[in-house]
Each structure stands twice: as C-alpha cells, then as structure tokens.
DNA sequence: ACATCATTCAATAAATTCATTGAATGATGG
DNA sequence: CCATCATTCAATGAATTTATTGAATGATGT
C-alpha cells in the first residue's frame, strides 16, 4: 500500500553510512586504511581480531561505499574510497571531542599530559620545511612509511627509537608525526626524546590529514 | 586483568556518537531540531511516531551529547547542542551522496527532475539581497518561520501556497527555501510556482546552513 | 488535594548486529 | 592436478537495538 516516502528513503541511506562507522573496530580499521591500502590479514593483525571478523567488517564498509577492494593474486587489498571519508571521520572526532566529557578525560590522561601540547600546525611545518630548519621524524612502522610519508622525513619506528637516537641531530629541532591526531606513537616519541634532551614537538595531526590537505607526499614504493 | 587501551576507549566514544546518528528517525528529528527547539510532542507529531518512541530516541541523542533538553512548565524542549552537529550531518550527507548510487537515484527521481536544479547559492543570494532584486520566500510551516528566518523573507507554507499566490509579485524573481538541502517543500513550491508562470529558483540549502554560515537571521519570537 | 497533560520509565517481544566456528572459494606454485 | 594460502561464506548463539504497551513521574490549574 503506502510506499516509503522519498525523504525516509534518503535518511535511511544516510543512516546506513553512519552505521558503517558506528563500530570501534571499523574506526580502527579506517585509521589504518587512512595510511594506505592494506590486505585483510594485515588489518586483522594490526587490530588484533580474527581474519574472518575483519573480513566481515570490511565488507560491511564496502557495501556502504566507504572502502574499495582490489584483488592482487591471493591477496585482497582494501583502501579508503576517497578523501570524503576522511572528512566524515574528522567531523565525527570533532563532534565527539566537543560533546563528550569522557573523550576529553581520556585525551587529557593519555595524550596531552605527556606533552606540552604545543603541537605544530601543518602550515607552520610547511614554512619550516621551506627554510630547512627542522628534521621531520616519522615514527610509524616501516611499511606504513614506505607507502607514503612527508617529503624528506626520516623514519624511525617508535618501538626502535631508543636504539637509534644516534641518527638524530641533537641540534636541529625535530617535528614528529604518525597516523593522525589520536595516534599515540608520536606522543610517546616526543616524551622519550624530550627526556633525552632533544628539542622536539608533535605535528598536530598525521599523514592522512597532510595528504588530504593536498600537500606533497613521498613514497618509497613497496619493497 | 587487561585494561582497555586508551585508543580503543577513544574509538568507542567516536563510535557512540556515530551510533547516535545511525538511525533514520533520529536523522529526521535532527533535521527538525536544526530549525530550532521543539517539544517532544511536536517532534513526535512531525515525524509520525509515538511520543514514547520519540522520547527514547531523544534521550539516546542526549546521552551522546548531540542535543540538550530544557524544561519549561509541562513541556521539555530539545535543541541541537551546537553547530558542530550540523557539520557532522553535512559530512554524512556528502559521504552518502558521493558513495551511494542509491542516494543519487532517489535524489534524481524525487528532487532534481522537478526542477532545472539551478539552485541559488548562499553567496549569490546575499548579493541579490543587497541589491534588493528578489523576493525571498520561506515555505516552511508558520511556527518554524517564527523561530527564525532569512531577513525580509515572506512566509507562505507550502501547503497554503496555491491559495496565496496573490501575495506574490509576478514581476520580481523569487528565491524559495525551506529546511535544508533535502527538504521537499522548496522543490514542490518551485514546481508549483513555475507552472503558474512565476520566475522562481530554489536556495541550494536551507535555514540551518544559512545560520551556520554566520549570516543574519530574523526571528518573530514565539506568538 | 485533584484532575489533567507532557514526558519518562519499565517491561516485553521482534529485529538486528556481532564474534566465532568450520567449511567453501579462488588463486598460486609445484 | 594437488597442496597451500588468503579470503569469503554460512550457520550459530550471544548481545544489542528497537517499537510498543501501559504505568509512573512531575508540573499545572482548579
């Protein structure tokens, strides 16, 4: 009898996109995909869930159009559909940040207190890069670095940082970055390096935002 | 034993915000609230659901911090927490629009075909208002108009438009607007008025976006 | 105090989402 | 063609979400 109203049909579509990002694991997977494409196994590994489970979540997001899949031999590589998804995630973060005291509490306890929270903005870093007065330090794992990184960045994964301090010039100021605004790696790196007397600050967000802003990215290509 | 990781805790917060917008009815309620504050009964009425049901959805969104409630006598008025929520909704729309063929189909069938889709942008309308060469027509219900509308706008609800054509100057160009980019009212109004020989176009989106852009809004106050 | 009205709460049943398990598919390399 | 490996599928049960119903709460006006 009564057909569904066009307005309701639209809202249903919008809701299904929202549902696709309404699960903590899917958000974590998306943070990974924001760095570059990834196979199902790698994603399952990084997020510490079973392969079957990761696969299901990935398909959920594929149905919603948030990610796309590409088959290469035995592997299926997923990637973020486009930068619009990054914007949606950023809007989600901002809303959560502004509205939930819980988010602030977590952020304060685990992130900001480790740091003087004087992060470097993208535009400031662009300036400093032009004048060549900073070392840019990428503290993500090597494979993520290989898929794309800030121009001229040095890659020392956070887990190996302590053993590779010799590679850093103790005079030049360092700017560290990682996956995004809520990635712990760069916070940890800053804390460690400051304790060793280095002059170091964090980039306010990570590689995906840098790329999303249309700034240049270097890639080493797959090894 | 193992505490929840801070990263997971954050993603859980983000996901709960996403969940709060992941239901078609809640999105419809939010579209209403974008116009201004509303009592539970009015919202239930507009969205054609039971009062208890509307109340539950409202509380869900209140817990997520998307809306706030204010008691006035017997009534409880809900309102959107702030403009950040509008941004989240806009990002959701854009993502859905870009990624789902279904959205495009619905939009094309029910909206664009009725219209030459040459909508007027906000900046263009600001220009035209300055030079005083257009009549701005608000086709939303009277109560929504009373809560806030574009400066100098004329209010003729879409349902009464046919009976009030005499109030419109047949010479001047008309720009019609309503609740937002997916509100049918202005599409219907444009179709009706064009059929009657008026020169009329739609504003690309509605009052909430106008207000969100920091442009001036007139209010009649409650009657 | 009492009746009324808007809203919320509590309980229930139906529907949906989720993680897990083990089997099926599809490509690769001997 | 067979064995292997990455991924997907299908089936299950547990957990969560949702709409409905009727009762409880809280404010108002008589």
């Amino acid at each position: 009898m009564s057909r569904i109203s066009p307005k309701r049909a639209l809202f249903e579509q919008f809701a299904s996109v929202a549902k696709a990002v309404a699960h903590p694991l899917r958000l974590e997977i998306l943070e990974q995909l924001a760095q570059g494409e990834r196979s199902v196994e790698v994603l399952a590994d990084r997020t510490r869930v079973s392969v079957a489970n990761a696969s299901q979540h990935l398909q959920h997001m594929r149905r919603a159009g948030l990610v796309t899949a590409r088959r290469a031999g035995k592997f299926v590589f997923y990637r973020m559909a486009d930068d619009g998804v990054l914007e949606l995630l950023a809007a989600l973060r901002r809303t959560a940040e502004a509205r939930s005291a819980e988010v602030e509490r977590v952020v304060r306890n685990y992130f900001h207190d480790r740091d003087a929270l004087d992060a470097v903005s993208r535009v400031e870093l662009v300036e400093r890069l032009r004048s060549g007065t900073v070392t840019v330090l990428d503290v993500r794992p090597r494979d993520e670095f290989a898929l794309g990184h800030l121009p001229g960045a040095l890659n020392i994964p956070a887990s190996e940082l302590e053993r590779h301090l010799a590679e850093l010039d103790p005079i030049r100021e360092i700017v560290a970055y990682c996956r995004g605004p809520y990635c712990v790696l760069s916070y940890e790196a800053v804390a460690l390096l400051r304790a060793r007397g280095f002059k170091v600050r964090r980039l306010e967000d990570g590689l995906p935002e840098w790329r999303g802003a249309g700034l240049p990215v270097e890639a080493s290509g797959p090894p």
Side-chain angles (χ1 to χ4, degrees), chain A:
Chain A
M1 280 298 266
S2 74
R3 290 233 311 89
I4 224 173
S5 80
K7 168 178 283 197
R8 187 55 67 98
L10 270 180
F11 283 138
E12 233 142 67
Q13 293 300 316
F14 299 158
S16 77
V17 171
K19 272 182 198 155
V21 292
H23 190 287
L25 182 54
R26 291 199 285 272
L27 290 173
E28 206 169 336
I29 291 176
L30 286 173
E31 190 196 40
Q32 288 288 333
L33 290 180
Q35 313 302 315
E37 67 174 12
R38 288 266 179 281
S39 71
V40 178
E41 191 181 36
V42 169
L43 287 169
D45 209 57
R46 297 278 168 104
T47 54
R48 307 178 171 285
V49 299
S50 76
V51 171
N53 195 2
S55 174
Q56 295 208 138
H57 283 293
L58 284 164
Q59 286 173 68
H60 188 160
M61 294 194 281
R62 196 161 58 88
R63 265 176 260 128
L66 264 49
V67 305
T68 60
R70 160 180 91 85
R71 177 142 214 156
K74 291 199 284 193
F75 299 85
V76 174
F77 290 98
Y78 281 86
R79 64 162 63 213
M80 207 167 262
D82 78 15
D83 287 347
V85 179
L86 267 183
E87 272 181 54
L88 175 59
L89 294 177
L92 198 59
R93 270 199 299 264
R94 277 195 300 271
T95 310
E97 235 171 303
R99 256 147 282 310
S100 156
E102 178 65 9
V103 172
E104 273 192 66
R105 197 187 61 77
V106 174
V107 170
R108 210 186 327 277
N109 285 356
Y110 290 91
F111 294 89
H112 286 171
D113 269 6
R114 306 184 168 188
D115 192 10
L117 62 84
D118 54 342
V120 181
S121 72
R122 274 197 303 275
V123 289
E124 189 182 347
L125 182 55
V126 169
E127 280 303 317
R128 304 288 303 270
L129 276 176
R130 211 189 318 267
S131 59
T133 56
V134 287
T135 299
V136 179
L137 177 64
D138 186 322
V139 293
R140 296 175 302 157
R142 298 196 184 288
D143 59 330
E144 296 186 20
F145 179 83
L147 284 170
H149 50 261
L150 265 60
L154 176 66
N155 179 223
I156 309 180
S159 58
E160 307 174 13
L161 193 51
E162 198 149 14
R163 298 194 297 272
H164 291 77
L165 292 177
E167 298 174 25
L168 290 167
D169 181 341
I171 310 293
R172 283 165 69 88
E173 183 173 357
I174 299 167
V175 172
Y177 75 91
C178 52
R179 296 186 184 123
Y182 291 117
C183 178
V184 253
L185 300 177
S186 70
Y187 285 95
E188 293 175 350
V190 168
L192 173 68
L193 290 176
R194 287 207 176 155
R196 294 294 196 282
F198 288 92
K199 183 144 185 279
V200 53
R201 291 197 290 164
R202 260 182 12 94
L203 179 62
E204 64 178 353
D205 38 36
L207 180 76
E209 292 77 13
W210 178 274
R211 183 192 276 127
L215 292 165
V217 170
E218 258 177 34
S220 326

